[in-house]
Amino acid sequence: MSSAAHTDPGLRTIRVMVVGAGTMGRQIAMTAALTGFPTILQDISAEGLTAAKQDLARWAKGRVGKQKLTEEDASAALGRIEYAGDLSAAARADVVIEAATERLDIKRDIFAELGRMCPPHTILVTNSSTLGSSKIAGESGRPDKVCNMHFFNPALVMKCVEVVRHDATSQQTVETVMALARAFGKEPVLINREVPGFIANRLMGAIQREALALAEAGVATREDIDSTARTALRHPMGPFELMDMVGLDVIHFIAECTYAETGDPADRPSSTVAALVEQGRLGRKSGAGFYEYGPASAE
């Protein structure tokens, strides 16, 4: 991703705040900073903020080394990121992107606090891939200014952003968030009503369920199923490879949330994935999942 200032005149004065400095949060913050937005990255963990700062500096250095980013642009982007240990910095934000732990109680607490601290015009979005913003919008006291803005991992690379409105989300909020995503260099898609799994996870889940059923029935090996997806369907990676990259704990969590909401037996979480998670085989980040990666591949 190259550094390029955003051009929408209506967005020139926006200050972005990202809540949560984990892998997704720090990459969203860097995405905003690379495209010219002053950005605040907040986390209650001082260690987490330090790790995020070091990680983004390493990432930028690597991009410069590969000549995909100039030293000047890298330095400018890193300089646009301010690090904050509490939510009080939200008083200076125009758009807040929540990327905290995927727990409803935590998100509700965050949105309630943001609702008290932010100026009346501030838009509050959640990066949640499973929880519709209607579940937390009321806590903010400004439900018309709340929606989902779901980035995909890795956020610095993936182009898609799912913007999901709920019944009370205003058209102005939708238009601003869609414009912001485009200014970030993304390709947003608008989802007009909340549905479990949104679009991408529903499509991905259907393929993954079928892949698991084929492997469990002994129809073909995981390797051959993945190979078929790559060579016949032109997918960049097979379903088992993709689950390992996303994280089997994340895959299992999404399935649990979807099943809890729909009650549809077809959405029941996979016992195969559940067993791997129980064993600590979470995919690439743990060094092993459906496939073996070794310590060097752990993230």
Side-chain angles (χ1 to χ4, degrees):
M1 178 178 182
S2 62
S3 177
H6 54 87
T7 57
D8 188 326
L11 300 176
R12 284 178 184 162
T13 61
I14 282 183
R15 182 180 300 275
V16 175
M17 179 170 176
V18 180
V19 176
T23 300
M24 283 298 293
R26 67 185 67 167
Q27 290 205 17
I28 293 170
M30 190 63 172
T31 297
L34 277 168
T35 47
F37 291 92
T39 304
I40 303 167
L41 180 57
Q42 185 275 333
D43 200 289
I44 58 173
S45 167
E47 294 81 5
L49 287 175
T50 298
K53 189 173 186 178
Q54 293 172 344
D55 182 45
L56 292 179
R58 282 193 300 269
W59 179 88
K61 183 178 180 180
R63 298 292 285 182
V64 170
K66 294 177 182 178
Q67 298 185 331
K68 294 185 176 181
L69 194 64
T70 67
E71 286 191 20
E72 181 182 10
D73 285 343
S75 178
L78 291 170
R80 292 188 190 102
I81 303 177
E82 171 189 342
Y83 296 85
D86 58 61
L87 289 176
S88 61
R92 296 182 285 113
D94 301 296
V95 174
V96 179
I97 303 171
E98 174 270 315
T101 303
E102 198 78 340
R103 278 180 47 186
L104 183 57
D105 58 335
I106 291 176
K107 292 181 186 295
R108 281 177 170 164
D109 288 346
I110 290 172
F111 271 66
E113 196 166 351
L114 289 172
R116 292 190 295 269
M117 292 182 172
C118 293
H121 73 274
T122 302
I123 290 174
L124 309 178
V125 303
T126 175
N127 181 54
S128 178
S129 61
T130 57
L131 300 171
S133 62
S134 64
K135 293 181 171 63
I136 52 180
E139 310 298 324
S140 71
R142 58 184 81 191
D144 60 312
K145 293 182 172 63
V146 175
C147 67
N148 286 74
M149 189 180 189
H150 175 218
F151 293 78
F152 289 81
N153 187 31
L156 279 161
V157 176
M158 299 294 282
K159 288 290 189 180
C160 185
V161 171
E162 292 178 321
V163 177
V164 191
R165 69 189 309 164
H166 62 90
D167 289 345
T169 307
S170 72
Q171 185 61 26
Q172 182 178 357
T173 295
V174 169
E175 291 173 1
T176 300
V177 173
M178 292 285 285
L180 184 63
R182 293 189 189 98
F184 284 173
K186 304 302 183 184
E187 297 178 13
V189 295
L190 176 60
I191 301 175
N192 284 307
R193 65 182 184 87
E194 293 179 338
V195 59
F198 308 149
I199 294 176
N201 281 333
R202 290 177 73 88
L203 294 174
M204 184 171 67
I207 293 172
Q208 290 169 353
R209 284 193 297 273
E210 187 60 28
L212 285 160
L214 290 169
E216 290 164 359
V219 173
T221 65
R222 294 191 300 268
E223 291 82 359
D224 282 342
I225 293 169
D226 278 347
S227 176
T228 301
R230 293 193 306 271
T231 58
L233 304 180
R234 294 189 176 183
H235 291 185
M237 62 181 68
F240 294 100
E241 295 168 321
L242 180 58
M243 285 189 278
D244 272 356
M245 187 189 78
V246 172
L248 299 184
D249 53 337
V250 176
I251 297 295
H252 186 60
F253 178 77
I254 291 172
E256 284 185 318
C257 291
T258 301
Y259 182 56
E261 189 157 345
T262 67
D264 186 341
D267 293 328
R268 185 177 286 112
S270 163
S271 59
T272 298
V273 174
L276 290 170
V277 172
E278 183 68 24
Q279 296 166 31
R281 296 175 65 95
L282 307 182
R284 286 183 176 273
K285 62 185 174 184
S286 69
F290 284 109
Y291 298 109
E292 302 289 337
Y293 300 97
S297 296
E299 295 177 355

